[in-house]
Amino acid sequence: MQFSYELKDSYAEVKGAGRLNMVSAPKLREVVAEVVAGGASRVVVNLEDTVFMDSSGLGALIGCLKAARQAGGDLRISGVQAQVKMVLELTNMDRVLTSYPTAEAAFGDD
Amino acid sequence: MTDVLARRSYHGPSDDIAIDAVHTELDSLWDDAAFVPVMDRMTFTTAVIEAAANIVQHALPVAEDPVELGVDIIVRPMLLQARVSAYNAREPFASEMRPSMPGEESESGRGLALIEALVTTVTFERQDGTNTWVLTRDSTPES
């Protein structure tokens, strides 16, 4: 899975393309840790190209959410695809990881 | 069995490479079994990957030989079945087999509960140093 990030005016957008599983989950943690350490604590993880997520990937998102909040910000997700949505709902984590249609919309109301 | 409509198997070291390899086998299986509804493919794929990842992350060798992962997936007319095995593995602790969803703050421990939510039956077998999770999901082909 490939990760990249881009610093926007009021948030950082992290994009992940591929499968967010036990293999790639540590990489997501590293990328978000780097972004937060760089001073951007408002993070959007854009999942529009993430075709699969397992419980390890979900755990990484929760860890990243905690890291962003500890730095005084927040983490939101966008572009959630069907399988990822299913995992979020079955684990009841859709209530914790707020999903937005686009990365732009994620912090659009703040 | 004459009613096996499609089948894929994987056997190799229990490591990161195995997870992506099993996922590729699943994608290939659905190419051969396009009649399986998308929702069933999605749920079953997730359950199989969870079970395989559980072995890669947690299975400990029973002796000197390293743990190996085996996955055998078959599609029958009304049923999807996967046997996900840890060879040369110790028997899991009872606490590792308790499928309950942890609290919202927890970053791990959802795998087994997720598997239970995704499939129709989950059974565990242990024989000769091999732990096998048998997952089934009822599935009616799309007409």
Side-chain angles (χ1 to χ4, degrees), chain A residues 19-87:
Chain A
R19 302 169 184 149
L20 181 52
N21 57 19
M22 61 155 281
V23 181
S24 58
K27 295 178 195 164
L28 174 64
R29 290 177 188 267
E30 287 174 17
V31 170
V32 172
E34 184 181 327
V35 167
V36 172
S41 60
R42 285 152 57 99
V43 180
V44 182
V45 180
N46 185 337
L47 298 170
E48 65 183 6
D49 294 323
T50 299
V51 295
F52 179 89
M53 180 179 77
D54 66 5
S55 63
S56 297
L58 175 61
L61 279 178
I62 296 165
C64 294
L65 171 69
K66 291 196 290 196
R69 288 184 174 168
Q70 280 166 9
D74 200 7
L75 179 139
R76 298 173 184 179
I77 55 177
S78 68
V80 170
Q81 302 299 305
Q83 190 274 345
V84 175
K85 183 169 185 280
M86 175 189 76
V87 170

Side-chain angles (χ1 to χ4, degrees), chain A residues 19 21-23 29 52-56 58-60 62-63 66 69 82-83 86-87 90-93 95-96, chain B residues 16 19-20 23-24 27 39 42-43 45-46 49-50 53 56-57 101 104-108 110-111 114 117-118:
Chain A
R19 302 169 184 149
N21 57 19
M22 61 155 281
V23 181
R29 290 177 188 267
F52 179 89
M53 180 179 77
D54 66 5
S55 63
S56 297
L58 175 61
I62 296 165
K66 291 196 290 196
R69 288 184 174 168
Q83 190 274 345
M86 175 189 76
V87 170
L90 286 174
T91 54
N92 295 321
M93 292 308 291
R95 296 176 302 182
V96 178
Chain B
D16 287 1
I19 298 301
D20 282 326
H23 211 133
T24 300
D27 287 346
M39 177 59 76
M42 196 166 78
T43 51
T45 294
T46 309
I49 294 300
E50 283 291 344
V56 172
Q57 289 175 308
M101 211 60 88
E104 290 176 349
E105 293 278 307
S106 180
E107 296 175 33
S108 61
R110 293 181 178 80
L114 189 55
L118 291 164

Side-chain angles (χ1 to χ4, degrees), chain B:
Chain B
M1 296 289 285
T2 55
D3 64 345
V4 173
L5 303 176
R7 182 172 203 156
R8 290 290 186 283
S9 297
Y10 177 87
H11 191 135
S14 175
D15 58 19
D16 287 1
I17 293 169
I19 298 301
D20 282 326
V22 170
H23 211 133
T24 300
E25 290 294 334
L26 281 156
D27 287 346
S28 163
L29 175 73
W30 304 134
D31 287 342
D32 283 0
F35 50 85
V36 175
V38 170
M39 177 59 76
D40 290 338
R41 294 183 220 175
M42 196 166 78
T43 51
F44 203 65
T45 294
T46 309
V48 171
I49 294 300
E50 283 291 344
N54 184 274
I55 287 171
V56 172
Q57 289 175 308
H58 300 298
L60 298 170
V62 72
E64 286 184 7
D65 291 336
V67 175
E68 293 179 4
L69 174 70
V71 178
D72 186 38
I73 314 152
I74 55 177
V75 178
R76 295 185 190 279
M78 305 290 280
L79 187 78
L80 310 174
Q81 184 189 70
R83 294 179 62 84
V84 185
S85 300
Y87 297 95
N88 311 322
R90 284 189 211 169
E91 189 169 5
F93 293 112
S95 60
E96 293 172 345
M97 299 176 66
R98 197 175 302 128
S100 60
M101 211 60 88
E104 290 176 349
E105 293 278 307
S106 180
E107 296 175 33
S108 61
R110 293 181 178 80
L112 294 184
L114 189 55
I115 291 170
E116 290 243 320
L118 291 164
V119 298
T120 310
T121 67
V122 183
T123 54
F124 174 77
E125 301 171 0
R126 177 164 175 84
Q127 189 171 22
D128 300 331
T130 300
N131 300 327
T132 301
W133 301 89
V134 185
L135 315 178
T136 72
R137 180 175 171 91
D138 296 339
S139 176
T140 304
E142 284 176 328
S143 55

